[in-house]
Amino acid sequence: MKAIKFTLSGKTAMFKKPDVNAFVYFTYSHIHKIALFGVLGAIIGLGGYTQQNNTNLKENKREKYPEFYSKLQNLKIAIQPDLKDKGYFVKKIQTFNNSVGYASQEEGGNLIVREQWLENPKWRIYILDNKEIDDDIFKKLHNYMLNHQSMYFPYLGKNEHPASINHCEYIELCESKDNYITSLFPSKNIQIDNCFSHNNKSVYIFREKMPVRINEELNFYEYEELMMTNCEIVSLENDQNLYADGEYRLVFF
């Protein structure tokens, strides 16, 4: 099976969670599938949420999805974090002022914003060539990425966090029968043995509910629990394949 492979990184990133406490906006621990589709859509010039909301205003109707999601939603991707610390990048709280006129009703019109940012995140991203999206769209994505072109500037969650895209390749993956996974994967499809690690190191298990699709009616995120672990794999569901790229064992979802 063939796939586009590239490295996605940045000095910082912030993939904002919709829930917030009184003081801080929090980030997901990794880029999620919808945000990744947004990066890919920016590369080939597909419209986002703003264009969706401005579509067909005269007819008083809106497209079901933003264009980037409508065109890319059937892609299968694998996310391989480039880290050694048990599934987590360093996170730090950043504090800054927002003094634009509409930002705050507080006295002085100054809103103090606190956000949690990822520091120096880096992932290896794989896009499976599974013939599930329009062939012209995939060819355009393939050509733009391998020729280091982009229609719009990609960023990691917010435009304060520019994305760096490097080492783009079109590679051949082979199916693997190994008993471990190094990438993120949906926990519902895979059973693990949480007592034993495949590499004889201390067991770790990262879990987080992350967006995997967009609800058609309301455009809300729909979530699944994703995992990353060094535990041995007991079983995979029948339709779930494991692929090998060198030292990495990848699940596409």
Side-chain angles (χ1 to χ4, degrees):
M1 182 68 72
K2 293 186 178 294
I4 299 172
K5 172 187 175 182
F6 63 96
T7 299
L8 179 64
S9 62
K11 185 176 180 181
T12 55
M14 203 280 178
F15 306 105
K16 188 169 72 172
K17 292 185 176 183
D19 50 327
V20 60
N21 69 10
F23 299 103
V24 181
Y25 293 96
F26 293 105
T27 180
Y28 294 102
S29 299
H30 296 283
I31 189 169
H32 56 77
K33 193 172 185 179
I34 314 306
L36 179 56
F37 286 169
V39 171
L40 300 178
I43 290 171
I44 59 175
L46 299 180
Y49 293 99
T50 301
Q51 290 80 6
Q52 177 196 17
N53 292 334
N54 291 336
T55 301
N56 294 329
L57 291 181
K58 291 183 179 180
E59 291 82 7
N60 195 31
K61 64 179 182 179
R62 189 185 70 170
E63 298 296 328
K64 288 192 300 183
Y65 297 119
E67 185 182 21
F68 78 88
Y69 187 77
S70 177
K71 298 291 179 63
L72 302 176
Q73 61 179 309
N74 291 325
L75 281 178
K76 297 295 184 183
I77 56 97
I79 300 173
Q80 172 63 59
D82 185 19
L83 45 69
K84 299 178 181 179
D85 193 18
K86 303 180 181 180
Y88 292 91
F89 293 111
V90 173
K91 299 175 184 176
K92 290 187 178 178
I93 302 297
Q94 306 293 331
T95 303
F96 51 93
N97 294 328
N98 187 345
S99 57
V100 297
Y102 54 81
S104 174
Q105 301 301 316
E106 298 176 17
E107 185 176 353
N110 184 57
L111 176 65
I112 299 175
V113 179
R114 298 174 181 87
E115 290 184 344
Q116 185 186 54
W117 291 2
L118 303 178
E119 290 201 341
N120 300 309
K122 185 178 181 181
W123 304 270
R124 289 177 181 83
I125 305 296
Y126 298 80
I127 307 168
L128 202 62
D129 187 1
N130 61 351
K131 313 302 181 186
E132 292 295 324
I133 68 169
D134 184 88
D135 192 51
D136 290 338
I137 293 291
F138 191 89
K139 286 180 179 178
K140 186 175 183 179
L141 185 61
H142 173 278
N143 292 335
Y144 270 59
M145 297 204 68
L146 269 67
N147 289 294
H148 309 288
Q149 298 176 314
S150 182
M151 290 288 291
Y152 303 128
F153 196 87
Y155 52 84
L156 300 176
K158 298 177 64 180
N159 56 17
E160 296 97 327
H161 310 288
S164 178
I165 297 174
N166 296 290
H167 310 300
C168 298
E169 304 175 77
Y170 189 57
I171 64 171
E172 182 77 40
L173 297 172
C174 57
E175 288 194 28
S176 172
K177 301 299 184 182
D178 291 308
N179 67 338
Y180 66 97
I181 300 169
T182 62
S183 69
L184 295 171
F185 61 88
S187 61
K188 68 176 184 178
N189 297 332
I190 297 168
Q191 182 181 353
I192 66 171
D193 185 338
N194 57 16
C195 295
F196 298 97
S197 67
H198 72 86
N199 53 10
N200 296 317
K201 295 183 179 181
S202 298
V203 167
Y204 72 83
I205 302 175
F206 162 85
R207 299 175 186 264
E208 186 171 340
K209 284 192 174 182
M210 301 178 70
V212 295
R213 68 186 68 87
I214 293 178
N215 176 276
E216 179 179 330
E217 183 178 355
L218 299 174
N219 273 201
F220 290 169
Y221 286 157
E222 294 183 357
Y223 298 83
E224 289 184 16
E225 183 183 72
L226 299 186
M227 293 182 62
M228 184 176 176
T229 182
N230 65 343
C231 291
E232 291 185 357
I233 303 304
V234 176
S235 65
L236 290 79
E237 290 194 359
N238 293 333
D239 60 347
Q240 183 69 74
N241 294 323
L242 184 63
Y243 292 92
D245 176 36
E247 64 184 297
Y248 303 115
R249 297 297 178 267
L250 311 166
V251 166
F252 287 82
F253 62 95

